[in-house]
Amino acid sequence: MEVSATLQRVSASAKYILAALKTTTCKSYCHSHRLYSSHTKEDGKPHFGLLFDIDGVLVRGKQLLPQAPEAFQKISALDPITGRRELTVPTVFVTNAGNALRQTKAIQLSKWLGVHVSAEQVVMSHSPLKIFPQFHEKHVLVSGQGPVRDIAKGLGFKKITTIDELSNMFPQMDAVDHKKRIDTSLQKSMEPGFLAPIEALVLFGEPVRWETSLQFMIDVLVTNGHLLTSPKTIPEPHLPVLGCNMDLMWMNETHLPRFGHGSFLLCLETLYQKITGRELHYTVLTGKPSQITYHYAEHVLSQQAKQMGITKPLRTLYAIGDNPMTDIYGANLYNQYLSFRAIRRVKESTAGGTHAAHSPSSYVDQVDITFDESADTMKSVLVYTGVHSKPAAVGMIDATGDLKAIDHGHRDFKYCPELSKPALEVSNVFDAMEMIFRRENFGPRSS
């Protein structure tokens, strides 16, 4: 009878929390929903994982923060066979940058930190697009900086056109730059069939010439991918739009935040609605704070743990970042998902395998990825070396009054002040490692 009553209480609690998650309310989040750490001393191996942001945590622009190499000395050891330092704790670098190949970023991190970082340990904002094969055969228009064509190929896309290629094909359509306007006698190339219909937009990151990208994207959307035709009506629904990196701002070497890809997306959304009278809808949004990015990162950490010979699950994940509206918000949002996942397991075990009908993520349960899900909790860790460079700045999040005024998150992520609050706060990444080691009772610590 006592066991039965306990199960009934668990079931009732599950229904309550699932209902809260369904409305995505702030009340469903609690930093202390797990009252234990993974305390990993029994076999000498870590049973926790680390997720590092890069800009504002390890570097500012191209300047390495002084605490970063010291922090990575704590979580690495010299391999006598390779002669290089290898990471000893499952680690992934989760960045909203989308202007480079993972291999390039891994090489850069290795030089900065003095440890070997593999491409598999780097999760760029666009990395999760690899697990959306339903778009890989479509003819996509891609935007951003860097080797965008190579990035798209590496993710699995087969038919690719870039914004720069469109501008070169049709310079008369890139009309903001008066120097690019040409004689109309070259109009002969602009005939239907000259360019295969575009079937989706893929936005990797902020472009260099925003006006060019905005113009061609709007043109493609209102023509339903038939760029050389004049539409009689606005397509509804419009073509799929896959967006990566929602950072409104980011921090480089200067003293003030700079515009990020989230600012560009805001321009695109506003222009599309003003021109068409309709809202722009994203088919997929990746990069922090999207849950699919953290889901993918958990998968990477699980694979690393196996390669390190760690047989027990990684119960606690620590996400270290500098931006409350992306790093902290995303980690806390994924923490909600982990809570939901744990409750779903309880429901399945007590209800003969009945699956819950709702998940707090739009994509997390629908992607082509399978792995042993093991984490119980994700702890958000805020450092004061980036966008928020001192504790007083975080106080702004807690200020009374019009909280909407400081909502720097993306339109499609409901603003919830509680999700912007870090579970843990430290000055820098080295202090973060010290604190995590204490919590986990793992490894040597500074006196």
Side-chain angles (χ1 to χ4, degrees):
M1 291 295 291
E2 188 175 15
V3 173
S4 177
T6 300
L7 290 176
Q8 287 178 0
R9 287 196 296 272
V10 170
S11 180
S13 299
K15 289 180 181 178
Y16 172 80
I17 297 176
L18 288 174
L21 286 171
K22 189 170 184 178
T23 56
T24 322
T25 61
C26 303
K27 294 178 182 178
S28 60
Y29 173 70
C30 176
H31 289 311
S32 58
H33 85 280
R34 289 289 178 272
L35 302 178
Y36 57 86
S37 73
S38 37
H39 293 294
T40 58
K41 286 299 288 181
E42 65 216 51
D43 60 1
K45 293 183 180 295
H47 301 149
F48 62 95
L50 302 172
L51 297 84
F52 289 94
D53 182 29
I54 298 176
D55 291 306
V57 175
L58 306 178
V59 297
R60 287 276 292 268
K62 294 182 180 179
Q63 181 179 341
L64 180 67
L65 292 172
Q67 303 87 0
E70 189 178 4
F72 277 81
Q73 289 292 306
K74 290 181 66 64
I75 58 172
S76 64
L78 183 65
D79 186 330
I81 298 176
T82 63
R84 63 192 182 192
R85 293 193 71 86
E86 301 284 354
L87 290 164
T88 55
V89 176
T91 300
V92 66
F93 300 87
V94 185
T95 175
N96 268 353
N99 59 351
L101 296 166
R102 289 194 304 164
Q103 299 92 313
T104 303
K105 183 62 70 173
I107 292 171
Q108 189 178 48
L109 285 167
S110 297
K111 291 180 179 178
W112 279 339
L113 302 173
V115 301
H116 175 241
V117 177
S118 69
E120 289 71 26
Q121 291 173 291
V122 178
V123 177
M124 311 288 286
S125 62
H126 46 65
S127 296
L129 293 182
K130 194 169 187 177
I131 54 177
F132 287 92
Q134 60 268 44
F135 299 108
H136 292 170
E137 297 297 330
K138 293 183 181 293
H139 179 200
V140 297
L141 175 64
V142 298
S143 71
Q145 297 184 47
V148 291
R149 175 175 282 277
D150 292 336
I151 292 170
K153 284 183 178 179
L155 293 169
F157 294 99
K158 306 291 194 305
K159 307 167 188 175
I160 304 159
T161 297
T162 70
I163 292 289
D164 286 343
E165 288 168 352
L166 278 190
S167 180
N168 291 333
M169 288 181 204
F170 312 118
Q172 59 271 49
M173 296 184 73
D174 187 8
V176 173
D177 186 351
H178 291 205
K179 295 178 182 178
K180 297 190 72 173
R181 295 182 181 180
I182 63 171
D183 191 280
T184 54
S185 63
L186 297 179
Q187 193 88 4
K188 60 183 180 181
S189 66
M190 294 184 60
E191 299 176 357
F194 179 77
L195 176 71
I198 293 169
E199 300 170 287
L201 302 183
V202 180
L203 288 63
F204 288 143
E206 61 270 24
V208 175
R209 299 188 310 277
W210 286 27
E211 76 283 356
T212 298
S213 293
L214 290 169
Q215 181 69 75
F216 278 117
M217 287 177 188
I218 296 292
D219 290 344
V220 167
L221 289 169
V222 299
T223 61
N224 205 34
H226 299 270
L227 188 60
L228 304 183
T229 63
S230 298
K232 295 180 180 179
T233 60
I234 301 299
E236 183 67 27
H238 59 65
L239 294 175
V241 180
L242 286 63
C244 311
N245 181 2
M246 294 159 274
D247 279 347
L248 186 74
M249 298 184 292
W250 66 288
M251 202 73 190
N252 67 355
E253 299 93 338
T254 191
H255 63 292
L256 293 173
R258 304 290 85 195
F259 291 154
H261 193 220
S263 296
F264 177 82
L265 296 180
L266 181 60
C267 293
L268 178 63
E269 295 155 11
T270 304
L271 276 173
Y272 183 81
Q273 183 152 30
K274 191 71 173 178
I275 291 169
T276 67
R278 298 172 183 173
E279 189 174 80
L280 181 73
H281 297 287
Y282 294 94
T283 311
V284 176
L285 279 172
T286 65
K288 298 172 290 187
S290 174
Q291 286 172 265
I292 185 60
T293 294
Y294 291 89
H295 193 65
Y296 186 80
E298 185 186 0
H299 165 62
V300 174
L301 287 171
S302 297
Q303 295 301 307
Q304 277 186 56
K306 291 177 182 177
Q307 293 171 6
M308 291 179 175
I310 300 172
T311 57
K312 294 187 178 181
L314 303 179
R315 293 301 186 189
T316 305
L317 306 179
Y318 293 91
I320 301 104
D322 71 304
N323 191 330
M325 287 308 303
T326 53
D327 303 315
I328 303 306
Y329 194 103
N332 290 340
L333 190 64
Y334 195 66
N335 196 37
Q336 280 192 346
Y337 170 73
L338 295 178
S339 299
F340 170 85
R341 197 165 72 186
I343 293 166
R344 182 175 60 187
R345 286 170 178 164
V346 172
K347 287 173 67 69
E348 290 174 3
S349 65
T350 59
T354 302
H355 289 274
H358 173 77
S359 166
S361 169
S362 298
Y363 309 113
V364 137
D365 293 328
Q366 302 175 28
V367 296
D368 183 21
I369 183 172
T370 56
F371 59 94
D372 295 330
E373 298 174 326
S374 61
D376 290 313
T377 185
M378 177 174 284
K379 296 292 185 184
S380 57
V381 183
L382 182 68
V383 295
Y384 302 126
T385 49
V387 171
H388 288 268
S389 57
K390 56 185 177 180
V394 180
M396 294 174 59
I397 301 167
D398 303 325
T400 57
D402 185 12
L403 289 171
K404 293 282 186 182
I406 58 169
D407 176 14
H408 290 171
H410 187 266
R411 175 202 71 186
D412 290 357
F413 287 76
K414 182 179 179 180
Y415 180 55
C416 177
E418 284 295 315
L419 291 177
S420 301
K421 296 178 181 178
L424 305 164
E425 302 174 34
V426 289
S427 296
N428 54 64
V429 68
F430 179 79
D431 289 349
M433 293 302 96
E434 287 278 280
M435 176 192 61
I436 291 169
F437 275 34
R438 286 194 299 269
R439 289 174 60 89
E440 296 294 328
N441 191 26
F442 178 80
R445 296 179 290 278
S446 300
S447 56

